[in-house]
Amino acid sequence: GQQLNQSPQSMFIQEGEDVSMNCTSSSIFNTWLWYKQEPGEGPVLLIALYKAGELTSNGRLTAQFGITRKDSFLNISASIPSDVGIYFCAGQLGNYGQNFVFGPGTRLSVLP
Amino acid sequence: EAGVAQSPRYKIIEKRQSVAFWCNPISGHATLYWYQQILGQGPKLLIQFQNNGVVDDSQLPKDRFSAERLKGVDSTLKIQPAKLEDSAVYLCASSPTLLWPQYFGPGTRLLVL
């Protein structure tokens, strides 16, 4: 099946630092989504991207849809303890809303 | 606005038993998804409904898994018979239409002994 690769797999940062993570694939995607998942909960949507080159912000979070449509990145500025969790990228391959694929996730730990 | 509801939250069964999970999507959402999330991995799409029709079930193990959404609202996912490797979190998600982002429920944690 289609694969999404996320890097880094995990990261430990100090509170206040900026964070960058990315998602890549060998396939072209029509939509990129970024989710955060905390223990015992379902993923929560952070940002949705629909066009190549699109740059979208949500508070301290910024994400971009790569120009090649094969990658996306997520930045978190001035990290805080509640940013701890697993961040998943998800891409949609189909033109009609089908074929969703999730990456394996980036586990973020924030040290006070 | 109420979120996606799932029940039960936890289930422990023995292998070869049957189990069913229920999902109530956000009101008005036409598209409903079932995902399997194995510990340490991202969610894997099992089946996607648009109203009461199936859009994508290419990764559903149809020999043991089945799902239905008879009236285009609630949905049930069944496993019969369960195997040890079915231990996972089963997530339900919904979206207003096919091309909108999905909103997830809290999941049902299944342990097969």
Side-chain angles (χ1 to χ4, degrees), chain A residues 19-81:
Chain A
V19 173
S20 184
M21 58 189 79
N22 65 21
C23 188
T24 61
S25 175
S26 58
S27 300
I28 291 175
F29 284 82
N30 294 316
T31 303
W32 285 99
L33 306 171
W34 284 93
Y35 287 87
K36 177 188 177 187
Q37 187 174 31
E38 298 184 30
E41 302 294 331
V44 174
L45 180 67
L46 300 174
I47 292 180
L49 303 160
Y50 299 101
K51 298 180 188 177
E54 180 180 354
L55 183 71
T56 297
S57 293
N58 178 8
R60 293 179 296 108
L61 278 60
T62 302
Q64 185 160 27
F65 191 140
I67 292 177
T68 64
R69 295 169 62 194
K70 294 182 178 182
D71 61 346
S72 177
F73 73 75
L74 175 71
N75 287 343
I76 306 173
S77 62
S79 59
I80 59 178

Side-chain angles (χ1 to χ4, degrees), chain A residues 31 33 35 37 39-45 48 50 88 92 94-105 107, chain B residues 9-10 33 35 37 40-45 48 55-56 58-59 91 98-107 109:
Chain A
T31 303
L33 306 171
Y35 287 87
Q37 187 174 31
E41 302 294 331
V44 174
L45 180 67
Y50 299 101
F88 291 101
Q92 185 177 34
N95 291 321
Y96 304 103
Q98 73 276 33
N99 302 133
F100 272 99
V101 180
F102 274 74
R107 183 180 297 273
Chain B
R9 291 296 309 273
Y10 305 91
Y33 311 79
Y35 286 85
Q37 186 175 25
Q41 299 181 17
K44 182 183 87 170
L45 180 66
Q48 177 182 351
V55 174
D56 183 359
S58 56
Q59 298 194 90
L91 294 162
L98 282 171
L99 297 177
W100 278 69
Q102 305 154 48
Y103 298 89
F104 284 83
R109 277 151 186 75

Side-chain angles (χ1 to χ4, degrees), chain B residues 30-32 47-56 69-70 72 98:
Chain B
T31 313
L32 185 146
I47 190 166
Q48 177 182 351
F49 292 95
Q50 176 67 5
N51 295 311
N52 60 353
V54 176
V55 174
D56 183 359
R69 194 185 184 199
L70 293 176
L98 282 171

